[in-house]
Amino acid sequence: MGVIEDVYEDLDTDVEFEKFEAAVKDKVEQMGGLADEETAAMLIAHELRDEEVNGIADIEPGMEDVKFLAKVVSVGDVRTFERDGEDEDGRVLNIEVADETGRIRVSLWDEMAVGAEENLEVGTVLRIAGRPKDGYNGVEVSASKVEEDPDADVDVQILDSYRVEDLALGLSDVNLKGKLLDTGEVRTFDRDDGSEGRVSNLSLGDATGRVRVTLWDERADLAGELEVGSSVEVVDGYVRERDGSLELHVGSRGAVEVIDEDVEYVPETTDIAALELGQTVDIAGGVIEADGKRTFDRDDGSQGQVRNIRVKDDTDDIRVALWGEKADTDVDLADYVVITDVQIKEGWQEDLEASAGWRSSVTVMDDAPDSAGGSDAASANTNDQGLGAFSGDSGSAGSAESTSASAGASDTGADGEPVEFTGTVVQAGTPVILDDGTQTKTVETDAELGLGDEVTVEGTETDGRITADSVEVHTGAKR
């Protein structure tokens, strides 16, 4: 075995021996006889060790030039730009490449950009050399050299259409079909450059799972144009991570289109009887209570809203608080609902309750599974659990909250007990409704209280209502 072979054997590299040997001989020739084959082989090996990475996941900003092997998963268009002090425009084309460890954007410049636009195809395996840097969407590589390697294999699947379970961080040009589970409101925000941005969210599901979809700027209005329950296709989306979960984003290049096919969605939910404090889970069941929506004033002067429903499955039932825009969801008695990303908190009389906030989705399903609580939801509303023992206008805040309070009282048998409760007045007059952020109480009192007052009442509780013996308005409380 010769000296070149000896050095190559000690080198952990994907570069084939023939290419390594050719590079050594080129190095000998370049140095004009100042280095023999062993020295040249050591120099080439040193360059490879410094530059080659084990995979895309190892590439970080601030590295010197890196070399890696990857498969092309998307090819962009050539864009031109003016260079300072030069008459000729510059050109750039971005490609997306991947290996078994991740994905990364690579920028090709000038002649490389033109050549790639004409000849480069998705699925081609490339050997890439370039300098890593921080880009708009994470780490990018500005290529200095790119060459095709038809003999190399990179185990990356290229899909025309993705399912939820196929999504991976860094994917772009994603087409995905799903059932529309929920839509959100358009929100505005200020960018660092002073311009105003717009964003909204959707929730999509298919047979393999569900994903949150974020719509940016001109695409944000789609959230108000699409009908929950319809089948849609996301076109040219890209995958990002937020709070540990993958999201599918849609910008100016992308779209969300209604399609004429039925996409199956099978939710994976947790039995209500198995819920534990502190969990964030998906639940499903029939609606056996549906209270009215109520509004309240926050400490910062803004107004909030909440609606309480009770959901029953084969194992148990639970009160669900729908906060913010979720309170506007059209949910009625006997509907079968799937509610995702609910937080399990401590509620009335230490019972658990579910809180559905901005990250949650609330979907009324057309058909409930045969074993679901939805089939007996209507009758369950008047069963012997004490859930149907309340009267009054279900559309008013007072009746809505007295319903929940009554349910708790009849469950615990605590009628007539002395109680003390501190909360904010969310309904003044007769009766008064107090809310402490996790539960509400209906109070009979002659005290003159205003919306937003923070008060403590002492008295006895009967049938879910507190008859107040004393009412203390806290100093500095908002009126």
Side-chain angles (χ1 to χ4, degrees):
M1 184 180 292
V3 293
I4 298 178
E5 289 90 338
D6 290 339
V7 175
Y8 182 81
E9 286 295 320
D10 293 335
L11 182 63
D12 183 15
T13 180
D14 292 330
V15 176
E16 296 176 355
F17 173 73
E18 289 77 11
K19 293 184 178 181
F20 179 79
E21 183 179 38
V24 171
K25 292 180 177 179
D26 286 344
K27 179 69 73 175
V28 171
E29 185 176 342
Q30 289 171 11
M31 299 187 69
L34 296 177
D36 57 18
E37 287 187 345
E38 182 177 9
T39 303
M42 297 290 288
L43 290 172
I44 297 298
H46 180 72
E47 291 175 5
L48 288 173
R49 288 193 185 100
D50 285 349
E51 295 175 352
E52 283 210 348
V53 292
N54 291 325
I56 287 173
D58 295 329
I59 299 175
E60 298 178 357
M63 283 178 151
E64 295 299 326
D65 287 354
V66 295
K67 293 182 179 179
F68 59 101
L69 187 71
K71 181 181 288 186
V72 177
V73 295
S74 70
V75 180
D77 299 320
V78 172
R79 294 183 289 109
T80 60
F81 59 93
E82 294 182 359
R83 284 195 171 99
D84 294 337
E86 296 186 20
D87 295 332
E88 187 176 351
D89 288 343
R91 288 160 294 182
V92 63
L93 178 144
N94 293 318
I95 63 174
E96 195 93 8
V97 300
D99 65 10
E100 295 87 345
T101 71
R103 298 169 184 265
I104 197 167
R105 174 175 290 184
V106 177
S107 299
L108 309 179
W109 304 92
D110 299 323
E111 289 79 9
M112 273 195 297
V114 175
E117 185 179 44
E118 294 175 352
N119 303 307
L120 193 58
E121 296 180 354
V122 170
T124 302
V125 175
L126 299 176
R127 291 195 177 275
I128 301 168
R131 182 178 295 273
K133 61 178 183 178
D134 273 319
Y136 181 75
N137 292 311
V139 183
E140 299 178 356
V141 171
S142 179
S144 57
K145 184 178 180 181
V146 172
E147 61 180 13
E148 183 178 352
D149 192 338
D151 299 323
D153 181 42
V154 175
D155 187 15
V156 172
Q157 189 175 12
I158 307 298
L159 301 175
D160 293 327
S161 183
Y162 289 79
R163 301 169 302 173
V164 171
E165 69 177 7
D166 298 324
L167 298 180
L169 184 62
L171 272 175
S172 61
D173 299 318
V174 172
N175 297 338
L176 181 143
K177 297 177 181 179
K179 184 177 289 293
L180 184 57
L181 306 178
D182 194 23
T183 63
E185 297 176 348
V186 176
R187 306 183 300 279
T188 60
F189 59 94
D190 294 326
R191 292 192 172 91
D192 293 339
D193 62 4
S195 64
E196 183 179 77
R198 305 172 73 247
V199 64
S200 65
N201 296 103
L202 312 173
S203 179
L204 294 184
D206 66 13
T208 69
R210 61 178 173 82
V211 65
R212 182 179 177 85
V213 180
T214 300
L215 309 174
W216 295 99
D217 297 320
E218 63 265 37
R219 299 293 180 244
D221 289 331
L222 291 171
E225 300 170 3
L226 299 169
E227 184 177 351
V228 172
S230 60
S231 294
V232 300
E233 182 177 17
V234 174
V235 180
D236 285 341
Y238 54 96
V239 181
R240 296 292 179 263
E241 184 178 11
R242 181 174 182 183
D243 297 333
S245 299
L246 295 181
E247 295 184 347
L248 188 56
H249 289 225
V250 179
S252 58
R253 285 182 50 195
V256 182
E257 303 169 349
V258 177
I259 56 175
D260 187 21
E261 62 180 272
D262 186 21
V263 179
E264 181 186 18
Y265 169 61
V266 182
E268 293 186 9
T269 58
T270 301
D271 288 343
I272 291 176
L275 298 178
E276 297 180 0
L277 187 66
Q279 288 181 315
T280 298
V281 295
D282 301 347
I283 61 174
V287 178
I288 61 174
E289 283 184 27
D291 296 345
K293 180 177 68 177
R294 63 176 178 78
T295 60
F296 57 90
D297 293 326
R298 299 187 180 95
D299 292 340
D300 63 3
S302 63
Q303 193 172 70
Q305 62 180 23
V306 65
R307 183 187 184 198
N308 298 315
I309 63 175
R310 186 169 288 272
V311 174
K312 179 180 184 298
D313 67 8
D314 283 346
T315 67
D316 206 345
D317 59 77
I318 190 169
R319 178 188 180 192
V320 183
L322 309 178
W323 296 94
E325 63 186 63
K326 304 305 174 188
D328 294 322
T329 307
D330 187 12
V331 176
D332 295 315
L333 288 174
D335 283 343
Y336 183 80
V337 295
V338 175
I339 310 177
T340 67
D341 286 330
V342 294
Q343 293 181 309
I344 306 304
K345 299 183 176 182
E346 187 173 330
W348 164 254
Q349 291 291 328
E350 299 185 354
D351 284 344
L352 297 180
E353 72 174 33
S355 178
W358 70 273
R359 288 194 63 89
S360 306
S361 67
V362 183
T363 307
V364 179
M365 306 296 287
D366 293 334
D367 298 302
D370 292 338
S371 60
S375 59
D376 62 349
S379 61
N381 194 45
T382 55
N383 64 13
D384 59 1
Q385 297 177 7
L387 300 177
F390 321 114
S391 60
D393 178 9
S394 62
S396 70
S399 62
E401 297 312 321
S402 63
T403 297
S404 288
S406 269
S410 61
D411 286 344
T412 60
D415 290 353
E417 280 192 0
V419 295
E420 178 181 299
F421 185 79
T422 299
T424 300
V425 177
V426 295
Q427 175 178 297
T430 304
V432 172
I433 306 296
L434 300 182
D435 181 22
D436 69 354
T438 60
Q439 59 181 316
T440 56
K441 295 285 187 179
T442 302
V443 180
E444 297 286 353
T445 178
D446 294 330
E448 294 185 3
L449 301 174
L451 287 174
D453 284 347
E454 184 181 343
V455 301
T456 296
V457 298
E458 294 183 359
T460 56
E461 184 172 1
T462 304
D463 290 334
R465 294 195 174 204
I466 299 175
T467 301
D469 296 323
S470 66
V471 177
E472 177 186 359
V473 179
H474 296 288
T475 303
K478 180 180 177 179
R479 296 194 68 93

